[in-house]
Amino acid sequence: MVQWFSGSVVQLFGGLVVWWFGGLVVWWFGGLVVWWFGFWGDVWVTYRSFEELEVWKRSCKLAVSVYGIVDLWSDYGLKNQMQRSAVSVASNIAEGCERGSKDFARFLRIAQGSAAELRTQTYIAKRIGLIPDDQFQILVDEQKEISKMITGLIKSLNKTEP
């Protein structure tokens, strides 16, 4: 459905609302607002809380997966370190988001460091025979994706800061 309002286009696609104002495009997805400037411009995302961030959701799922995988391990040192690293990724994303934009980028870099720690520990666990090949590859792939998402979020924050 397309409607015209004062020269602006509003399109509804199953809950998606799009406004166009010259070079500014605004999408609204039930509380999540995305701003896009120019036809090939940059994207800014605004949100109400960290719970709306896909990277936070995936980090939480990863932490739960890590807890499940290491649950029966007898190597307490590596088990504990992997659990702490996994929880740290999601926790730092949440804490930085709640503190605000200046601290957010710093906490995202900490989360990225924790993600790198977890990936290193996953490689070590694989090499000492604690993680089977199939679980290893799933974990590492998800860890790499989360790291890419964090990098993208840091870049988007850096573009919006004065």
Side-chain angles (χ1 to χ4, degrees), residues 10 43 49 57 79 95 104 112-113 116 133 138 144 159:
V10 177
V43 175
S49 70
K57 292 175 188 177
K79 173 183 178 175
E95 184 174 354
F104 196 13
Q112 197 163 39
D133 289 339
I138 291 168
K144 287 180 179 180
K159 287 180 183 180

Side-chain angles (χ1 to χ4, degrees), residues 12-83:
L12 302 175
F13 301 101
L16 170 65
V17 181
V18 179
W19 291 271
W20 182 73
F21 305 98
L24 169 65
V25 179
V26 180
W27 289 274
W28 181 76
F29 310 81
L32 181 66
V33 179
V34 177
W35 305 84
W36 182 57
F37 292 91
F39 291 105
W40 307 107
D42 297 319
V43 175
W44 285 272
V45 178
T46 59
Y47 42 86
R48 286 178 279 185
S49 70
F50 62 86
E51 289 99 337
E52 295 175 0
L53 296 172
E54 187 64 27
V55 67
W56 177 81
K57 292 175 188 177
R58 287 177 69 168
S59 297
C60 286
K61 287 180 186 176
L62 177 63
V64 170
S65 296
V66 167
Y67 265 80
I69 289 170
V70 305
D71 185 44
L72 299 177
W73 288 6
S74 60
D75 184 335
Y76 180 75
L78 186 56
K79 173 183 178 175
N80 184 43
Q81 194 62 36
M82 287 183 73
Q83 290 170 328

Side-chain angles (χ1 to χ4, degrees), residues 114-158:
S114 295
E117 276 185 62
L118 178 59
R119 199 159 71 241
T120 298
Q121 294 153 2
T122 303
Y123 280 106
I124 292 168
K126 167 72 171 95
R127 288 187 181 138
I128 63 176
L130 293 174
I131 298 180
D133 289 339
D134 57 335
Q135 286 181 339
F136 168 78
Q137 199 56 57
I138 291 168
L139 277 177
V140 168
D141 289 347
E142 183 63 5
Q143 291 164 3
K144 287 180 179 180
E145 284 302 310
I146 288 170
S147 289
K148 288 178 190 176
M149 293 172 79
I150 293 170
T151 297
L153 193 50
I154 291 169
K155 287 180 180 178
S156 73
L157 288 173
N158 289 339

